[in-house]
Amino acid sequence: MLDYHTKTKYFYTLIFKNYKVEVLHTSVASTQKNFEATPYILASCSFKLDENFTLIDINDNLLNILQYSNKEEFLKSCHHQWSNCIHKKDLKEVKDVLLKNISSNPIHQLEYRILKKDGSYLWAYDQGQYVFNNEKYLTVQCFITDISAIKDREINSIVEKEKYEMALKDNSISILEYHIQEDKMIIDILEESKKRVYNHYLEYISSDRTTVFKEDRQKIIDLFTLKTKDSVIYREFYRNSKNYCVKALESTIIYNSNNEPEIILATASDITTSWNEQNNLKQKVQRDSLTHLYNFKAGKYLADDYIKKHPFDKHALIVLDVDHFKNINDTFGHLVGNDLLVSLAKYLLVHNSNEDIVIRMGGDEFVIFIKETDKIQIQHRCEELLDCLDEITLKHQDIPFSLSLGVYLFDHNTLFDDAFEYADEALYQSKNSGRHRFTIHYQVED
């Protein structure tokens, strides 16, 4: 269509698919004084129908779209082959359609991505036909429309669809829309009044300005930097409160027209109730019902796991029990005996580091796994445990109370069972030597 008042030419391309117009493309070019003598030419190229689509010609409009300054520069870049311009993931489909249409249809219609000079891709709508050139080669004449904007709108439609499907799963969730290149996060996008926008989101989530628990922040960063696709469970304080909730992140990746990850959509579901229930069940499985210390199975697993991850560090295992505990039960009764064991458990927790693993073996026998220690430190720890027993005897004044300890200090090729065997031998040595003392056995170096 020509506008004779403005001396400007307009070229419209309409694509009719699925009983509706899906693409409306307008090309505009200023006319010269005698615009009748310079008809508008659509972006086009022609190539042989050989294996690599050897290029015969390409017009200036297509060069401009692809950001090349001249034909020689373009032909050198693609080695005279149109196949080098087509995205690798689209090339097979393009070849299949072109070769199939030779016998069935003299024209073709295709959508595929074309490589631009800057390394990015544009989406092209290719309408073409087969012709014989002067040398009588079968060639393809392509007329190309840039539909990248349409494809971008398709991405936005996919995003909206994903949001909708996420919302259908649980209307109590928050939806997070993370724009990768911009490092921008939009939260609660379905409820405008609660929408929050974070620029420089990764910097924010790694800082103390966030309400997310410090030890959980890296998991969120890994999700939004595409280092993991697994669901992420994290804890987050309510603002201006010491109370916290537990949330689960599930994500999906939206790709742009260049097949690059552009947006990460995620749902943040509040799983505090179920998490607490599971944690309570886990505690029941791992903890001794009387003292709430680790039971033997759980404590052994945690100790072995740590030893395997730190095979060259020195560790120690302390095995201890209450001297003449059977007599205490017989004289004062089992309820008093149990109360004494609970007091001892609290005592061991107070007088050991939070990093230590304190275990109740059963009865009056306890085990302490001490990480990364040495001979001097372990001797001091044992002396402290025996010297501070007044804290328990003051509460149970009528009960004669003392402990015996056996210790094994080791640094390599030893797991829990072997260390326990040596520490248990040291305990019996302490018993046979008069009780209320400690004995340390050391690993013999190879």
Side-chain angles (χ1 to χ4, degrees), residues 53-270:
F53 300 154
T54 302
L55 279 161
I56 297 172
D57 193 21
I58 179 170
N59 77 346
D60 291 342
N61 289 326
L62 187 53
L63 288 174
N64 291 334
I65 290 176
L66 299 181
Q67 301 175 342
Y68 286 93
S69 56
N70 56 66
K71 189 180 301 185
E72 290 71 24
E73 180 188 26
F74 168 75
L75 292 174
K76 182 179 180 181
S77 174
C78 68
H79 304 290
H80 294 257
Q81 296 174 356
W82 186 238
S83 60
N84 287 335
C85 302
I86 301 173
H87 196 290
K88 290 181 180 179
K89 291 187 177 181
D90 300 334
L91 183 57
K92 183 179 183 302
E93 181 183 355
V94 172
K95 285 186 174 182
D96 290 345
V97 170
L98 290 176
L99 293 174
K100 180 180 179 181
N101 278 10
I102 293 175
S103 57
S104 62
N105 198 330
I107 61 173
H108 67 266
Q109 295 179 346
L110 279 166
E111 291 181 6
Y112 56 89
R113 287 162 287 185
I114 303 176
L115 183 65
K116 295 163 67 175
K117 182 179 178 180
D118 64 5
S120 65
Y121 285 87
L122 66 81
W123 271 98
Y125 179 71
D126 178 339
Q127 304 169 85
Q129 60 184 352
Y130 302 94
V131 297
F132 283 96
N133 66 359
N134 294 334
E135 289 79 23
K136 298 186 178 180
Y137 288 115
L138 182 60
T139 63
V140 179
Q141 181 69 43
C142 296
F143 302 94
I144 292 169
T145 303
D146 183 353
I147 59 170
S148 298
I150 304 299
K151 289 295 183 178
D152 288 339
R153 286 199 291 272
E154 287 180 4
I155 290 178
N156 292 333
S157 297
I158 293 171
V159 170
E160 294 302 322
K161 179 183 176 184
E162 290 287 346
K163 291 178 187 177
Y164 178 71
E165 290 180 353
M166 287 174 174
L168 285 179
K169 293 178 183 177
D170 185 350
N171 59 13
S172 68
I173 63 175
S174 298
I175 299 181
L176 291 71
E177 181 181 335
Y178 179 67
H179 295 253
I180 297 172
Q181 296 300 322
E182 300 172 58
D183 189 22
K184 181 173 75 173
M185 175 67 76
I186 304 172
I187 300 179
D188 288 327
I189 50 182
L190 291 183
E191 193 171 343
E192 190 68 26
S193 62
K194 294 184 178 179
K195 179 189 283 190
R196 299 195 301 277
V197 178
Y198 295 90
N199 294 308
H200 310 293
Y201 178 73
L202 296 182
E203 178 185 333
Y204 164 77
I205 205 68
S206 61
S207 72
D208 290 334
R209 291 179 288 132
T210 180
T211 54
V212 175
F213 277 34
K214 191 171 185 178
E215 53 268 38
D216 293 340
R217 294 171 191 171
Q218 189 59 47
K219 293 189 289 186
I220 297 176
I221 293 171
D222 288 346
L223 179 71
F224 290 112
T225 54
L226 302 176
K227 292 180 181 177
T228 180
K229 295 181 180 179
D230 298 331
S231 60
V232 169
I233 295 176
Y234 68 97
R235 293 157 296 173
E236 183 175 20
F237 287 108
Y238 295 111
R239 290 205 175 273
N240 304 316
S241 173
K242 293 183 179 179
N243 298 323
Y244 68 91
C245 59
V246 183
K247 294 183 178 180
L249 280 177
E250 300 281 349
S251 66
T252 186
I253 303 171
I254 306 299
Y255 293 85
N256 63 20
S257 59
N258 290 329
N259 205 33
E260 299 164 337
E262 182 164 312
I263 296 172
I264 299 175
L265 286 179
T267 57
S269 306
D270 191 328

Side-chain angles (χ1 to χ4, degrees), residues 283-296 338 341-342 345 360-362:
Q283 291 290 325
K284 288 180 180 179
V285 172
Q286 292 186 338
R287 299 286 178 169
D288 170 61
S289 59
L290 177 66
T291 63
H292 302 295
L293 298 177
Y294 285 112
N295 59 34
F296 179 72
N338 285 347
L341 293 176
V342 171
R360 185 190 178 199
M361 283 282 297

Side-chain angles (χ1 to χ4, degrees), residues 337-356:
N338 285 347
D339 191 37
L340 182 65
L341 293 176
V342 171
S343 297
L344 176 57
K346 293 178 181 177
Y347 169 82
L348 294 176
L349 288 175
V350 170
H351 289 278
N352 284 284
S353 165
N354 289 334
E355 298 297 317
D356 298 336

Side-chain angles (χ1 to χ4, degrees), residues 302-316 355 369-373 410-415:
L302 292 172
D304 274 339
D305 184 62
Y306 190 86
I307 292 168
K308 289 174 183 177
K309 292 177 180 176
H310 304 81
F312 303 109
D313 294 333
K314 276 188 170 64
H315 312 295
E355 298 297 317
F369 173 69
I370 300 176
K371 306 171 184 177
E372 301 175 29
T373 188
F410 57 98
D411 63 1
H412 66 89
N413 296 329
T414 303
L415 292 177

Side-chain angles (χ1 to χ4, degrees), residues 238 244-248 269-278:
Y238 295 111
Y244 68 91
C245 59
V246 183
K247 294 183 178 180
S269 306
D270 191 328
I271 60 167
T272 306
T273 301
S274 60
W275 187 84
N276 285 334
E277 290 172 354
Q278 292 178 6

